[in-house]
Amino acid sequence: LLGKVLRGRIIQLNQPSLWGLEVLGVEASCVFRVGQVGTSLWLFLVQGLPLVLLSTHKSLLDGILLPFVLFSQGLGVLRVVWDPRTCSPALRALLRNLGGLFLPSEANQSLDSSEGVLARTVVHAAMEQLLVSGQPLLIFLEEAPGVQGPRLSALGQAWLGLGVQAVQVGIVPDAMLVPVAVTYDLVPDAPRDVHHASAPLGLWRAALAILWSLCSCWGCGRRVCVRVHLAQPFSLKEYTSNTRSCWGSRQTLEQLLQPIVLGQCTVVPDTEKEQEWTPVTGPLLSLKEEDQLLVRRLSRHILSASVASSAVMSTAIMATLLLFKHRKGVFLSQLLGEFSWLTEEALLRGFDVGFSGQLRCLVQHTLSLLRVHVALLRIHQGDLLVVPRPGPGLTHLARLSAELLPAFLSEAVGACAVRGLLAGRVPPEGPWELQGIELLSQNELYRQILLLVHLLPQDLLLLQPCQSSYCYCQEVLDRLIQCGLLVAEETPGSQPACDTGRQRLSSKLLWKTSGDFTDSDSDDFMEAEGRYFRLGQQSRCPDFFLFLCRLLSPLLKAFAQAATFLHQGQLPDTESGYTEQLFQFLQATAQEEGIFECADPNLAISAIWTFRDLGVLQQMPSPEGPRLHLSPAFASQDNQEKLEQFIWQFICS
């Protein structure tokens, strides 16, 4: 049926290393636009190496859309890994006949279970046969949409571990890994009662969900765009041989931040944060601990590359503008200029956009897609007033705006860090010129950025495993200077910031091999003691600074409200029970204060897991199962207030 309504054609893309696929839903027809595949992709195909595509997961239709598109472009029959928990036996049988792969439930049993050993042996053999045959494989690295929990999929990591093990033992000489990014301007989701059902989907229920999605999004006159980007492929064997030299010592979030939060010390330890929220399940259990760590970091590396290559959609830009710049409404004439400005800013940061056309038509089309959450009021001058509808619809706009956050994440982290640095010096409501008088040393900026980087979940930052936090601090600082928010201040006796010709690398760095750069190189940051900065005084700086700070406000405000809830929540409780308690508190606060972008169950889960890693909450065994307790360190209300103040310093109201 899909084949009758789809037709294909080829165009040239601006980025030769990406393979872009665009699906435009115009009434009942779709158009594929396919860019040239990168040279390295064809090289691997000529060599006959197996192809493993690792994708983000935004819709239930991803597992159907991607195989059809790639098969139509000559990549063969794509084998798709499906989550057996979401499918009934009848649906699993159909998908298996169409090339779907399912992990047996027995594979998750303990290592000493005979059924578990047998199931894992069968899965290993199936994976080895698949790689030897050269059939391309599609694995989703993100959890399915609507699943509350970690961003990285435990099932995806388990299947990726099978591929890593097959290359290590020599079943195949190598495999090519291709990061894939899928983005929608309006996700053609299933109905809410079907999409969030706890019972497995049956064959007819799944068919009705897809039919409902197609009718609601593609059959009602709305043009829905889907962009699929294939990022630069790389060799699995080369990655595994080179990445181990980048591994250094790591500490837990409790070791890194708890003494600073409680005021027991002020020095941030010179080490990286260890934070893994995705459980180790299935065939990954049989791997050595070192190989498990390799798979986890490889999956994070691939997901980071996928997100970096994803396209920015028009609905993400519109939701960001309405939520963080024009909460009380904006005239359409002004919105046109704001939309063009934010699009240019995303393009300047190396991100593609998934739309084109005349500006006014594009904005009107985007507003039509968001018409459930946006009110359009016609005024007597002939202009339109665009107002986001108050209420739970703001939560949906916040989820859409999160798709734009990767393009501005470094600047947003830097702006919130600067906000925290100025919090104790000048009133936050003071004029921008008054805040611009303050001198900010580079060491102070590094420290404040590090504190925020450690607080934010790794699932949000998606730092490359080989990228140290100190290098990321320098990247954040460079971004703030490039966009004009920070200006170097030349102090007497200091070397000019622009005098790069006289700067020399230390002998320690000159004679280091590439694999020897570790976090111990932070000694070179001591050379920055004499470097100072001020806030930029350009006319655009105040608004842009507030805009960047607000991009992280939903998550940070959820963390702050979770700290407030510590003395109200009923503990001990199970993790799911306390999550429900916190989510109800976020909803009640949203009704009182109008902060609906924080009333998200995923934000509640992130707050609880972060507090657990920070040592605020402790998980203790009990006859009924693991239960959360308030740790002794945060039993006093004084320490709870310290935690709340620590988080609020990064939030700009």
Side-chain angles (χ1 to χ4, degrees):
L1 177 62
L2 281 175
K4 294 181 180 179
V5 298
L6 298 178
R7 54 191 177 93
R9 61 181 178 182
I10 298 179
I11 63 170
Q12 177 72 34
L13 289 185
N14 295 329
Q15 295 175 316
S17 63
L18 299 179
W19 185 8
L21 305 174
E22 180 179 305
V23 183
L24 292 176
V26 186
E27 296 182 353
S29 63
C30 300
V31 178
F32 286 114
R33 295 177 181 171
V34 184
Q36 290 187 343
V37 183
T39 306
S40 53
L41 177 58
W42 287 119
L43 180 61
F44 274 85
L45 292 177
V46 171
Q47 293 175 349
L49 295 176
L51 182 68
V52 181
L53 298 100
L54 299 119
S55 174
T56 58
H57 203 7
K58 303 301 180 184
S59 169
L60 296 175
L61 296 179
D62 293 344
I64 300 175
L65 176 67
L66 286 176
F68 179 82
V69 173
L70 298 178
F71 174 76
S72 67
Q73 300 305 317
L75 285 184
V77 178
L78 196 66
R79 307 297 298 272
V80 183
V81 172
W82 294 87
D83 190 344
R85 299 171 300 176
T86 61
C87 306
S88 68
L91 184 58
R92 281 202 301 269
L94 175 62
L95 293 176
R96 189 178 291 111
N97 291 333
L98 296 175
L101 297 174
F102 293 89
L103 187 69
S105 59
E106 295 81 5
N108 294 318
Q109 296 183 7
S110 60
L111 295 178
D112 55 356
S113 169
S114 59
E115 293 183 356
V117 172
L118 177 60
R120 285 188 288 270
T121 302
V122 172
V123 172
H124 275 283
M127 185 65 169
E128 293 171 359
Q129 182 180 5
L130 179 64
L131 294 176
V132 171
S133 66
Q135 295 185 68
L137 176 66
L138 174 63
I139 301 174
F140 292 106
L141 280 184
E142 283 185 319
E143 284 288 359
V147 174
Q148 298 175 8
R151 183 174 185 177
L152 282 166
S153 168
L155 179 65
Q157 287 189 351
W159 282 95
L160 179 59
L162 292 173
V164 171
Q165 193 172 19
V167 173
Q168 287 180 336
V169 299
I171 301 298
V172 288
D174 198 359
M176 182 184 63
L177 305 181
V178 185
V180 181
V182 183
T183 49
Y184 296 80
D185 56 5
L186 188 66
V187 176
D189 237 338
R192 188 168 183 83
D193 58 338
V194 175
H195 183 65
H196 295 273
S198 57
L201 289 178
L203 180 60
W204 291 109
R205 293 182 67 189
L208 289 175
I210 296 175
L211 181 62
W212 182 92
S213 303
L214 293 175
C215 292
S216 63
C217 293
W218 292 348
C220 300
R222 288 187 289 175
R223 302 177 58 190
V224 178
C225 181
V226 184
R227 286 292 292 248
V228 181
H229 280 263
L230 277 68
Q232 185 67 39
F234 61 94
S235 163
L236 173 57
K237 185 176 182 180
E238 183 178 353
Y239 179 88
T240 55
S241 61
N242 294 338
T243 189
R244 298 180 192 272
S245 61
C246 302
W247 295 357
S249 61
R250 292 174 178 259
Q251 291 183 351
T252 64
L253 186 61
E254 181 177 356
Q255 296 170 322
L256 290 171
L257 277 191
Q258 189 182 102
I260 298 175
V261 171
L262 298 179
Q264 299 172 354
C265 75
T266 58
V267 179
V268 185
D270 182 15
T271 185
E272 299 301 309
K273 176 179 67 173
E274 182 64 34
Q275 186 180 62
E276 292 293 343
W277 288 352
T278 304
V280 179
T281 59
L284 212 58
L285 291 168
S286 59
L287 298 183
K288 296 184 295 184
E289 185 176 351
E290 183 181 6
D291 292 332
Q292 292 180 13
L293 181 60
L294 171 65
V295 173
R296 290 199 298 266
R297 295 188 176 180
L298 174 60
S299 60
R300 193 172 300 278
H301 174 89
I302 297 173
L303 184 58
S304 176
S306 298
V307 171
S309 64
S310 61
V312 176
M313 310 305 287
S314 61
T315 49
I317 292 179
M318 184 64 69
T320 303
L321 290 173
L322 295 177
L323 191 63
F324 300 123
K325 290 205 71 175
H326 304 291
R327 187 70 167 267
K328 296 182 179 180
V330 58
F331 291 111
L332 181 61
S333 56
Q334 181 183 355
L335 187 59
L336 294 174
E338 296 277 3
F339 190 94
S340 176
W341 161 77
L342 195 52
T343 301
E344 292 177 0
E345 291 290 340
L347 291 172
L348 287 174
R349 285 157 178 78
F351 279 75
D352 190 17
V353 293
F355 52 86
S356 61
Q358 294 183 355
L359 180 60
R360 178 174 291 273
C361 296
L362 181 61
V363 170
Q364 291 175 348
H365 166 66
T366 306
L367 290 174
S368 71
L369 294 177
L370 300 176
R371 62 178 178 266
V372 178
H373 312 290
V374 174
L376 301 179
L377 307 176
R378 188 174 298 278
I379 58 178
H380 64 278
Q381 289 89 350
D383 203 350
L384 283 178
L385 181 65
V386 183
V387 183
R389 297 181 187 274
L394 295 177
T395 305
H396 181 76
L397 293 181
R399 291 174 181 172
L400 287 175
S401 66
E403 300 296 327
L404 183 65
L405 181 58
F408 296 90
L409 184 57
S410 297
E411 292 97 325
V413 169
C416 291
V418 172
R419 170 69 184 86
L421 198 55
L422 293 173
R425 301 186 183 184
V426 295
E429 66 276 2
W432 181 261
E433 292 78 8
L434 178 61
Q435 301 184 41
I437 298 176
E438 293 293 323
L439 279 177
L440 309 175
S441 73
Q442 187 162 327
N443 281 341
E444 291 176 326
L445 289 168
Y446 281 150
R447 178 183 181 277
Q448 204 69 17
I449 295 171
L450 269 179
L451 293 178
L452 183 55
V453 167
H454 289 328
L455 178 64
L456 295 175
Q458 282 191 353
D459 282 1
L460 173 70
L461 292 174
L462 290 179
L463 298 183
Q464 296 285 353
C466 291
Q467 183 182 18
S468 70
S469 298
Y470 280 100
C471 290
Y472 184 70
C473 288
Q474 185 59 53
E475 177 186 332
V476 170
L477 192 58
D478 291 342
R479 290 290 188 92
L480 293 179
I481 296 173
Q482 289 172 5
C483 65
L485 289 179
L486 286 183
V487 179
E489 178 73 13
E490 309 297 351
T491 58
S494 65
Q495 182 177 344
C498 59
D499 186 11
T500 58
R502 299 177 60 184
Q503 298 179 13
R504 296 182 300 169
L505 290 173
S506 65
S507 58
K508 180 177 64 174
L509 290 179
L510 281 174
W511 294 102
K512 276 196 171 183
T513 59
S514 59
D516 291 334
F517 286 94
T518 62
D519 298 336
S520 62
D521 300 324
S522 58
D523 298 337
D524 298 286
F525 285 79
M526 300 303 293
E527 300 175 3
E529 288 184 354
R531 299 175 188 167
Y532 291 85
F533 299 88
R534 294 185 191 273
L535 293 180
Q537 296 301 311
Q538 300 178 17
S539 58
R540 63 184 290 269
C541 288
D543 289 340
F544 191 46
F545 180 81
L546 292 176
F547 169 75
L548 292 174
C549 288
R550 289 168 180 166
L551 290 178
L552 288 174
S553 61
L555 177 66
L556 292 175
K557 286 182 179 180
F559 281 13
Q561 293 179 24
T564 305
F565 183 67
L566 287 175
H567 67 278
Q568 302 180 26
Q570 301 297 320
L571 288 174
D573 196 357
T574 62
E575 183 178 292
S576 59
Y578 191 68
T579 301
E580 183 62 28
Q581 287 187 51
L582 178 57
F583 179 55
Q584 291 179 0
F585 175 76
L586 294 177
Q587 287 182 313
T589 306
Q591 294 290 342
E592 295 175 2
E593 303 179 6
I595 315 177
F596 287 94
E597 61 269 25
C598 301
D600 191 322
N602 288 322
L603 295 182
I605 293 175
S606 295
I608 290 175
W609 287 353
T610 300
F611 284 6
R612 184 187 60 193
D613 295 343
L614 186 56
V616 179
L617 300 173
Q618 293 180 343
Q619 197 166 34
M620 309 288 288
S622 71
E624 297 81 13
R627 299 176 72 85
L628 291 176
H629 295 252
L630 189 62
S631 69
F634 289 88
S636 66
Q637 190 168 352
D638 182 43
N639 286 347
Q640 295 175 13
E641 291 176 355
K642 289 180 180 179
L643 173 63
E644 191 174 353
Q645 292 172 2
F646 176 81
I647 299 172
W648 270 109
Q649 67 176 325
F650 300 111
I651 301 175
C652 193
S653 59

